């Protein structure tokens, strides 16, 4: 598979090369962010959106998610991991496995 140049959005590709791949996967980014310890802290301490602490924690959560997606990619056969819905929305659509739970499990294992 290959993502056509005119449909390429690098912000929606977390891991791998969109130019050539054989086993694509997708992840529900928001669901994984909500599973991070940083996001849990925002919820638990009711940190207000827009505050410095909120954005700092959200940035750390995002960094953790992207790092974990890369780790899952390097430990599995998946050679491209993208945002859920991105590959299926291309013309022609590219089928991909949802590995959201795998990423959440990997992240949970890393924080123990």
């Amino acid at each position: 598979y290959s993502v056509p140049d005119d449909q390429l959005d690098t912000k929606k590709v977390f891991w791998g090369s969109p130019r050539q791949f054989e086993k694509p996967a997708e992840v529900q980014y928001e669901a994984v962010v909500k599973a991070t310890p940083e996001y849990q802290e925002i919820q638990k301490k009711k940190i207000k959106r827009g505050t410095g602490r909120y954005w700092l924690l959200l940035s750390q959560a995002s960094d953790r998610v992207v790092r974990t997606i890369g780790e899952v990619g390097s430990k599995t056969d998946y050679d491209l991991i993208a945002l859920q819905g991105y590959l299926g929305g291309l013309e022609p659509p590219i089928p991909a496995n949802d590995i959201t739970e795998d990423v959440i499990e990997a992240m949970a294992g890393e924080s123990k």
Side-chain angles (χ1 to χ4, degrees):
Y1 295 107
S2 178
V3 174
D5 286 342
D6 63 331
Q7 297 180 63
L8 180 59
D9 185 346
T10 55
K11 292 181 182 126
K12 295 180 179 177
V13 176
F14 299 114
W15 192 82
S17 171
R19 301 270 177 245
Q20 184 177 359
F21 54 94
E22 293 178 12
K23 190 172 180 189
E26 59 185 11
V27 67
Q28 296 172 37
Y29 180 78
E30 247 183 73
V32 181
V33 167
K34 289 179 178 180
T36 63
E38 293 85 0
Y39 190 85
Q40 300 296 322
E41 183 178 336
I42 289 171
Q43 296 298 104
K44 193 167 88 181
K45 295 183 178 176
K46 295 181 173 51
I47 297 171
K48 297 237 185 291
R49 182 183 176 95
T51 62
R53 183 78 183 135
Y54 175 89
W55 292 114
L56 182 66
L57 286 168
L58 205 55
S59 175
Q60 290 170 346
S62 178
D63 291 347
R64 179 186 300 267
V65 169
V66 172
R67 185 176 60 248
T68 305
I69 289 171
E71 289 168 4
V72 169
S74 64
K75 292 177 184 173
T76 63
D77 293 340
Y78 296 110
D79 52 1
L80 182 83
I81 302 175
L83 182 67
Q84 185 181 43
Y86 173 60
L87 296 173
L90 297 175
E91 230 9 89
I94 297 172
N97 295 330
D98 185 340
I99 61 164
T100 303
E101 287 304 315
D102 297 340
V103 174
I104 291 172
E105 286 174 22
M107 198 168 48
E110 138 193 324
S111 61
K112 287 181 182 167

